[in-house]
Amino acid sequence: MSGRKRIQVDESEWYRIQRKAQQLKEVQRNIPRLIDDVRTQTRADIDRTFAGVQERQRRHEEAVRSLSEQTRRLEADTTRRLQQQAAELHRTLDETAGRIQAETRHELARQQAENRQAIAAERAQRRAEMAALAQEIDAMKADRVHAAEMVRAWLADARTMAGLIGDTLPHERYAPGDLARLTGRLTTAEHNLAEGRFDAALAVVQETFHSLSDLRVDITQRELERCSTQTEAVEALVRVEKLIEGNEERPVIGPDGEALAGYRLDVVYWSEGELDGLRQEAVRALARARDEGTDADALHDLRDHEATRLEQELGDTVERAGMRQLSSQIRVNLADAVAQTLTAHAYYDLVEGEYESDERGAYFAKLRNDANGNEIVVGVSQAERDSDQCVIRVLSYDHDTTAEADLMDRAQAVQEALAAEGLRASAPETEPGVPDPALRPSARRSSPQPAPLPTEQGQWGKKAAE
């Protein structure tokens, strides 16, 4: 004979109805100051990013001013175009901070394409000028001093351009090995100059200078595009961070879709660390997005996939927290239903109710028959973590010897009462062992019970202690 009887209750349909009625998975977005907070943080990141861009532009201006007249003239317009491109990007991002959408991305892409076309036209013009200068080589042969000076001027300018790229631009990120290759060509030009082969030296150094110039333009533009993507990634992740903060506590929504006065869902508590874990993931993702070493592909992934994943996971976390809160109340309500059955069937009165540890654990309703002093503890727990099935254990503490048939009859009465409530309850099973004496009503002091949550099944809104 065993005083441990087990009944499994299937609540899957009830869970489905509650999920739909309470819209638990819908992330709360109408948060006061959400857009303002996202805009403020995004603008701060934009200003930080473009402070670096502006410093780079200042150094480029200084370097261009140090070039010889022939190359300074060629580089001035390109530098101006790059500054204009950066200024337009900065302005557009600042104006749309907090609400960067697909339309903004299309506009940014249009601006960048126009700037690329304009700069490409200037490159073609520089190539034409280079060809015109190459035609002067025959005249230069007659004036070796002038030829040597011209080659040295081009070499100095090329060295300046190479140093500018090496010191201010992430060339290895966008064009690994190109700077070293072009710098090596300058060494070849220097050898030609030393040997008096001015025509060969000039051809090599001019081509190398223009290749370095093209490299500067290409890297600068690609870095500006990375800055744009970085801003978008940061904004998306800041929004996730603010949504997490705004969903730490939520109203409880009733079947009519309206918030229930006096009821709140503490997502931090009921998520059992999941919301905090999600917050840490968002913090780490945001740190990667703000890292200047993060490349464009990684930023696209953070913007398009990681931010989306985190927001979806937030919805899942909120839903699980809400269902755990509801499940906690259901455990109380199930215990109440069983207690009422035992009162009617065997004259047991409810003495107290308590959770195993806190509201997230199993619930125990403790009953006593004053006529004979026998006691029963009804334990209600989930079959598995976040399961839509509960297990009810009827633990009997009888002073006298109770027949197994009587114990089973008692459990079957509970099963029938649950079935009458519309619940799918399994036939009772006998579990091995004896009830834990520590669970008896006199063994522990009761813990506070939660306020009942309204449900679609009226009597389930009562507390087991009523």
Side-chain angles (χ1 to χ4, degrees):
M1 180 185 72
S2 171
R4 293 169 56 90
K5 297 296 181 284
R6 180 181 187 274
I7 301 171
Q8 184 156 309
V9 180
D10 185 350
E11 298 178 295
S12 56
E13 179 63 16
W14 185 89
Y15 273 67
R16 185 190 66 77
I17 293 171
Q18 289 301 311
R19 281 191 177 96
K20 181 177 179 180
Q22 301 205 30
Q23 302 171 329
L24 292 171
K25 199 168 185 175
E26 292 297 321
V27 174
Q28 182 173 286
R29 299 176 186 278
N30 188 23
I31 302 171
R33 296 189 59 79
L34 171 64
I35 294 178
D36 288 342
D37 287 347
V38 173
R39 180 183 296 119
T40 298
Q41 287 202 27
T42 301
R43 281 178 170 164
D45 279 279
I46 291 171
D47 290 342
R48 177 185 56 80
T49 296
F50 278 87
V53 172
Q54 290 165 357
E55 173 60 20
R56 184 168 63 240
Q57 289 175 340
R58 184 190 65 77
R59 295 184 64 178
H60 283 213
E61 283 182 331
E62 290 179 353
V64 169
R65 284 197 296 269
S66 70
L67 297 175
S68 63
E69 182 178 354
Q70 57 189 1
T71 54
R72 183 171 63 247
R73 177 172 52 84
L74 295 176
E75 292 300 313
D77 286 344
T78 298
T79 300
R80 177 180 55 80
R81 287 282 189 181
L82 291 173
Q83 290 175 337
Q84 179 182 348
Q85 182 178 1
E88 288 177 354
L89 177 60
H90 190 178
R91 182 174 61 254
T92 301
L93 290 175
D94 186 74
E95 290 174 352
T96 58
R99 50 185 177 84
I100 296 177
Q101 303 294 334
E103 297 81 6
T104 304
R105 296 177 190 174
H106 292 323
E107 175 61 20
L108 291 173
R110 183 193 65 77
Q111 291 177 4
Q112 291 164 359
E114 288 181 354
N115 278 284
R116 280 188 177 276
Q117 291 173 359
I119 293 176
E122 291 179 354
R123 288 181 183 180
Q125 180 63 31
R126 290 202 305 273
R127 295 291 186 183
E129 292 177 359
M130 181 186 68
L133 287 170
Q135 293 174 1
E136 301 174 8
I137 200 67
D138 290 337
M140 289 172 50
K141 291 178 181 178
D143 187 350
R144 295 179 62 82
V145 174
H146 180 239
E149 289 176 353
M150 179 171 287
V151 173
R152 290 191 184 96
W154 278 96
L155 275 169
D157 290 346
R159 290 291 184 189
T160 298
M161 187 63 68
L164 182 65
I165 294 170
D167 293 341
T168 67
L169 294 173
H171 56 91
E172 286 299 318
R173 171 186 291 166
Y174 298 111
D178 281 12
L179 182 60
R181 177 179 57 80
L182 292 172
T183 303
R185 291 175 61 183
L186 294 180
T187 302
T188 300
E190 289 172 341
H191 288 322
N192 290 336
L193 173 63
E195 295 175 357
R197 298 174 56 199
F198 304 127
D199 53 346
L202 183 61
V204 171
V205 74
Q206 284 182 333
E207 176 61 30
T208 303
F209 175 85
H210 288 296
S211 295
L212 287 166
S213 176
D214 291 345
L215 183 62
R216 173 175 83 104
V217 170
D218 183 59
I219 294 174
T220 300
Q221 289 187 314
R222 292 175 70 178
E223 181 63 7
L224 283 176
E225 291 169 2
R226 193 200 71 85
C227 290
S228 176
T229 305
Q230 182 181 39
T231 298
E232 295 166 12
V234 166
E235 178 174 303
L237 290 164
V238 167
R239 181 180 292 107
V240 170
E241 194 174 54
K242 293 300 179 182
L243 284 173
I244 292 173
E245 180 181 327
N247 281 270
E248 290 178 350
E249 186 178 272
R250 292 168 48 113
V252 174
I253 306 300
D256 60 356
E258 298 296 325
L260 298 171
Y263 296 96
R264 302 294 296 178
L265 169 63
D266 185 345
V267 179
V268 176
Y269 178 80
W270 288 103
S271 70
E272 301 178 28
E274 292 176 7
L275 189 70
D276 288 334
L278 192 64
R279 192 197 321 276
Q280 291 304 311
E281 286 190 65
V283 168
R284 289 192 293 270
L286 187 55
R288 293 200 306 274
R290 285 173 168 154
D291 186 350
E292 296 302 320
T294 304
D295 62 27
D297 288 342
L299 289 169
H300 277 110
D301 183 69
L302 288 168
R303 181 194 71 190
D304 298 335
H305 300 109
E306 187 67 1
T308 301
R309 182 192 70 80
L310 288 170
E311 191 166 333
Q312 290 173 344
E313 183 59 33
L314 174 60
D316 293 340
T317 300
V318 169
E319 180 184 37
R320 284 193 294 272
M323 292 311 298
R324 286 168 186 168
Q325 184 190 45
L326 288 168
S327 296
S328 175
Q329 184 59 47
I330 291 307
R331 291 194 287 277
V332 176
N333 296 335
L334 280 173
D336 180 41
V338 174
Q340 292 184 35
T341 298
L342 292 173
T343 297
H345 181 79
Y347 309 106
Y348 280 82
D349 295 322
L350 181 65
V351 177
E352 61 183 2
E354 65 178 352
Y355 284 98
E356 183 177 22
S357 54
D358 56 40
E359 291 93 333
R360 295 168 293 189
Y363 184 80
F364 298 95
K366 303 184 177 184
L367 303 94
R368 179 182 295 115
N369 185 319
D370 291 333
N372 56 29
N374 290 339
E375 298 172 328
I376 293 177
V377 174
V378 177
V380 185
S381 60
Q382 284 185 296
E384 296 178 359
R385 180 177 172 83
D386 296 325
S387 169
D388 55 10
Q389 295 185 338
C390 285
V391 172
I392 298 175
R393 288 182 171 84
V394 180
L395 309 178
S396 298
Y397 300 87
D398 295 340
H399 290 292
D400 51 2
T401 302
T402 304
E404 177 67 17
D406 293 336
L407 294 176
M408 185 58 72
D409 180 62
R410 182 183 298 169
Q412 287 175 341
V414 170
Q415 187 266 340
E416 292 171 1
L418 295 173
E421 294 288 342
L423 298 173
R424 288 180 289 183
S426 70
E429 301 174 3
T430 298
E431 290 188 325
V434 296
D436 183 355
L439 293 176
R440 299 183 66 162
S442 57
R444 296 194 304 178
R445 297 177 62 185
S446 63
S447 302
Q449 299 180 66
L453 292 176
T455 69
E456 290 190 343
Q457 302 187 30
Q459 70 175 13
W460 282 28
K462 298 185 295 180
K463 294 163 65 174
E466 290 179 351

